[in-house]
Amino acid sequence: MIVLGVDPGTAVTGYGVVRPGDRGAFALVECGVIRTKARDPLAARLVEIYDGLREIIDRHRPQAMAVEPSSTRATCVPPSHSAMRAA
């Protein structure tokens, strides 16, 4: 199973793609960041993040996705809700 992990942010969104490796461990496939410009409007930054994640999903076709809750959401969303199936 290929898994995409995302650490969201409007300035820098981090991501990592892993797959099953040897002896039950995961092997890193790809990792990186999507950077947006602080001077751009929020809507444009969100489109840039969406486009970047869509490209990663199209390239690797993950079967699952985990999203790190932001610090503002961490108190509102239980950890069990931070993982979801990828489309």
Side-chain angles (χ1 to χ4, degrees):
M1 172 188 305
I2 296 173
V3 178
L4 169 62
V6 178
D7 185 3
T10 54
V12 179
T13 294
Y15 71 90
V17 179
V18 296
R19 63 169 175 72
D22 296 333
R23 300 181 196 154
F26 284 98
L28 179 63
V29 175
E30 179 182 337
C31 65
V33 295
I34 300 165
R35 294 186 190 277
T36 63
K37 297 178 181 129
R39 69 177 183 272
D40 288 348
L42 179 60
R45 295 167 82 175
L46 293 174
V47 168
E48 192 169 343
I49 293 165
Y50 172 85
D51 289 344
L53 289 174
R54 183 80 251 167
E55 184 178 310
I56 294 160
I57 290 168
D58 288 345
R59 185 167 53 245
H60 296 289
R61 299 287 195 211
Q63 289 82 37
M65 180 175 175
V67 180
E68 174 97 18
S70 67
S71 58
T72 56
R73 287 191 50 201
T75 58
C76 302
V77 179
S80 63
H81 290 89
S82 66
M84 61 185 152
R85 298 288 286 170

